[in-house]
Amino acid sequence: MKKQTGSMDTLVSLAKRRGFIFPGSEIYGGLANSWDYGPLGSRMRMNLKKLWWKRFVESRDDMVGLDGAILMNPRVWEASGHVATFSDPMVEDVVTHKRYRADHIIEEKTGVNTSGMTLHEMSQIISDKKILSPDGNPLSEPRQFNLMFETTMGTVAGEGNRVYLRPETAQAMFVDFKSVATTSRKRLPFGIAQIGKAFRNEITPGNFIFRTLEFEQMEIEYFLEERDWETLFDTWHREMYAFAREVGISAELLHDFEVPDTERAHYSKRTVDIMFDFPFGQKELWGIAYRGDFDLRQHQEHSGQSLEYTDPEDNKRKILPHVVEPTFGVDRTILAILVSAYEEQVVGEGDTRVVLHLKPEIAPYQVAVLPLMKKDGLAEEAREIHRALLKHFRSDYDETGSVGKRYRRHDEIGTPYCITFDYDSKNDRCVTVRDRDTMVQERVNIEELSAYLDRKMNQHS
Ligand code: ATP
């Protein structure tokens, strides 16, 4: 069998055709770079978030969850540094007024590394190298563009009512640190985890769900004593790779990028970007950063409230904990899983099948029940098996088209097992179970079907 991985176009069209991901607001002509997760995509997304939550919150006793508000007091974003510095350098095409990332355009056109460069230096390169926009027009002077979305709260518009849609979920975990520590009675080291939407007014969004203005993050702030940061950084780094394995991201497509001093925030002694080989190049999938005590210190100073933690050993020593932050983007993870899972196999003379090798834990459906024919009572019996399976598995019932076509449909949406009820099933009470990856078929007694599927899915993982 010949293996071929997919281009971005084939993935986007599969996602749309099969109901994973649609362009947002499509009947109104869409809204640039907004996407809706359809019936299959929303299942997959939910499965991913549940696995993350189970692994990092429910299965550990050093972790607690938080579900913070999207709108926060604007002073949060002053303290965190976002108001002053959460910006990217931007240039504008002076004719079309289209906007571009100045650093990206310089790197693409000249190969020069822009990290640590000032706006003035970028401006110099643009004029020295006579860099034009992709439409061939002159570019404006670069300037910093703040990525936070602003909106107004209440009925009176004005400066005093300005709020921001959070550009990351992390800040609630710092702002609520004291309340969480007190109410959960956790001892250092312990972490807070949160899943939620974040918003960034990106200058150059694109590449499908890779860079959008609205996206979801799964973030952890792991609070610790300063002396432990290096060990715990390594532990969390390994945990991130273990999670990648759990959800079916190909290990050979993952790479570490040690962020150099010049690109790292001043308070971070170590940051690693976990990069993935997307079809459009190697880009950041997730990140892990040691942030020192920067965030708690900033919020303590700006709010005037103590965020110190009292050492429970002696009830005296006050500590401002340090933090290691592993952060995961939901949407980029979904894309990395799809890229890892996609395969076009030549299975015979002029015959190709598209298969998504999704893990059973991630796949929208774990099984599909197919009657060989709709007639002669086969459909009724197959439906009954499907209903029984629904109690333990994510099952789909599918009776339209030939069985061959239905197998292919389920290969394409990543259903690991198809169960066919045929004429013999009526007498021998057995069904055919077809494995998506090997296409091997086995006869299994209906009574033993659940146990059989459980066993197979455990072996799979
Ligand atoms: P990039 O350099 O690609 O802009 P970043 O370093 O700004 O990313 P972080 O601030 O570390 O990203 O955000 C944490 C995670 O959130 C990223 O690793 C990524 O998975 C996800 N993420 C960030 N920005 C976006 C976006 N615009 N669209 C989708 N996911 C995003």
Side-chain angles (χ1 to χ4, degrees):
M1 277 185 287
K2 193 163 162 275
K3 183 183 161 134
Q4 249 185 316
T5 52
S7 69
M8 240 3 238
D9 287 347
T10 45
L11 271 182
V12 175
S13 94
L14 166 72
K16 183 171 177 194
R17 196 171 67 250
R18 290 301 188 199
F20 281 93
I21 302 165
F22 310 122
S25 322
E26 207 179 5
I27 63 166
Y28 287 99
L31 175 70
N33 302 294
S34 73
W35 301 94
D36 292 340
Y37 285 70
L40 299 187
S42 56
R43 277 174 175 261
M44 194 175 154
R45 202 182 161 90
M46 193 64 82
N47 297 340
L48 169 68
K49 290 193 278 182
K50 276 194 207 154
L51 286 177
W52 189 88
W53 192 257
K54 183 152 193 277
R55 183 184 189 97
F56 294 126
V57 182
E58 292 173 356
S59 313
R60 302 176 58 124
D61 46 25
D62 61 343
M63 292 287 300
V64 292
L66 184 72
D67 196 345
I70 287 176
L71 302 177
M72 302 181 82
N73 188 314
R75 289 177 60 209
V76 168
W77 306 109
E78 282 162 26
S80 67
H82 283 80
V83 171
T85 61
F86 192 61
S87 52
D88 282 330
M90 181 186 80
V91 280
E92 198 171 301
D93 177 318
V94 297
V95 179
T96 64
H97 299 293
K98 282 192 209 156
R99 292 169 162 192
Y100 304 95
R101 284 274 294 266
D103 49 343
H104 288 178
I105 244 178
I106 293 173
E107 283 175 18
E108 272 161 32
K109 302 259 172 160
T110 65
V112 173
N113 182 355
T114 56
S115 65
M117 234 181 226
T118 62
L119 287 181
H120 180 70
E121 286 163 339
M122 288 193 206
S123 164
Q124 203 67 49
I125 293 194
I126 290 172
S127 69
D128 288 353
K129 305 269 181 196
K130 302 193 170 47
I131 296 175
L132 299 174
S133 79
D135 293 319
N137 302 315
L139 292 166
S140 69
E141 281 292 308
R143 67 177 172 90
Q144 289 296 345
F145 175 79
N146 194 295
L147 303 185
M148 281 201 294
F149 267 104
E150 286 176 19
T151 188
T152 350
M153 202 157 110
T155 51
V156 187
E159 193 62 16
N161 302 313
R162 179 163 56 196
V163 285
Y164 302 101
L165 303 187
R166 66 180 177 202
E168 60 176 32
T169 60
Q171 293 307 317
M173 296 185 267
F174 296 120
V175 171
D176 292 347
F177 169 74
K178 199 73 189 255
S179 306
V180 172
T182 315
T183 54
S184 66
R185 300 185 316 277
K186 290 286 171 204
R187 289 179 168 209
L188 290 182
F190 77 90
I192 310 180
Q194 178 163 234
I195 301 179
K197 291 270 183 167
F199 304 83
R200 294 183 189 178
N201 209 354
E202 298 275 4
I203 299 166
T204 42
N207 284 325
F208 193 31
I209 51 173
F210 175 80
R211 190 180 297 285
T212 49
L213 308 189
E214 172 187 342
F215 56 97
E216 198 160 16
Q217 294 182 316
M218 305 184 284
E219 294 198 292
I220 293 167
E221 302 303 333
Y222 199 73
F223 297 95
L224 41 88
E225 297 236 25
E226 184 176 5
R227 59 167 188 256
D228 296 330
W229 81 263
E230 277 159 311
T231 321
L232 289 167
F233 189 103
D234 289 341
T235 310
W236 276 105
H237 182 241
R238 278 197 302 278
E239 269 297 300
M240 295 177 90
Y241 273 82
F243 184 66
R245 253 194 323 277
E246 182 180 352
V247 298
I249 294 176
S250 300
E252 65 270 23
L253 301 180
L254 288 172
H255 313 272
D256 270 356
F257 173 68
E258 280 280 349
V259 179
D261 291 356
T262 46
E263 288 178 44
R264 239 179 10 232
H266 64 91
Y267 47 79
S268 174
K269 288 212 185 80
R270 189 176 177 203
T271 300
V272 175
D273 287 347
I274 299 180
M275 315 290 279
F276 181 81
D277 293 328
F278 289 101
F280 43 87
Q282 196 180 100
K283 305 271 177 203
E284 176 179 330
L285 170 65
W286 302 332
I288 173 165
Y290 167 51
R291 302 178 59 91
D293 63 1
F294 174 79
D295 306 88
L296 288 184
R297 190 168 292 286
Q298 285 291 105
H299 287 304
Q300 185 165 266
E301 274 166 23
H302 280 73
S303 68
Q305 306 274 329
S306 162
L307 294 177
E308 282 174 334
Y309 163 95
T310 312
D311 186 352
E313 293 298 324
D314 62 3
N315 245 335
K316 283 201 200 87
R317 191 170 65 104
K318 301 268 188 202
I319 310 162
L320 198 58
H322 283 226
V323 75
V324 166
E325 179 190 73
T327 168
F328 307 68
V330 172
D331 309 83
R332 288 187 192 179
T333 309
I334 294 278
L335 188 53
I337 293 173
L338 288 174
V339 170
S340 303
Y342 185 92
E343 187 183 7
E344 278 169 33
Q345 282 179 344
V346 178
V347 284
E349 193 80 354
D351 189 13
T352 307
R353 73 165 184 149
V354 171
V355 51
L356 278 188
H357 297 283
L358 297 174
K359 294 259 191 158
E361 296 84 350
I362 287 287
Y365 296 111
Q366 296 168 306
V367 290
V369 184
L370 327 169
L372 183 68
M373 299 284 198
K374 274 193 250 181
K375 57 185 188 187
D376 302 328
L378 300 187
E380 287 73 13
E381 295 220 43
R383 221 181 246 288
E384 229 168 81
I385 295 175
H386 161 65
R387 282 205 201 96
L389 287 175
L390 271 179
K391 295 199 183 94
H392 304 287
F393 301 98
R394 293 189 299 280
S395 175
D396 187 28
Y397 173 78
D398 192 353
E399 60 176 23
T400 47
S402 72
V403 165
K405 280 225 178 81
R406 281 179 269 165
Y407 282 158
R408 291 293 165 87
R409 185 151 67 219
H410 281 281
D411 287 344
E412 218 183 13
I413 64 169
T415 310
Y417 302 100
C418 280
I419 294 159
T420 306
F421 190 92
D422 57 22
Y423 286 101
D424 289 341
S425 309
K426 279 169 154 293
N427 303 317
D428 66 5
R429 307 313 296 164
C430 286
V431 285
T432 302
V433 181
R434 173 187 178 270
D435 183 300
R436 173 198 66 200
D437 298 337
T438 60
M439 293 189 279
V440 168
Q441 306 193 359
E442 266 188 88
R443 289 295 276 181
V444 179
N445 192 294
I446 295 169
E447 296 284 298
E448 287 154 21
L449 194 54
S450 278
Y452 172 90
L453 289 170
D454 260 336
R455 206 167 51 246
K456 288 292 255 185
M457 285 186 209
N458 283 335
Q459 285 164 3
H460 204 286
S461 305

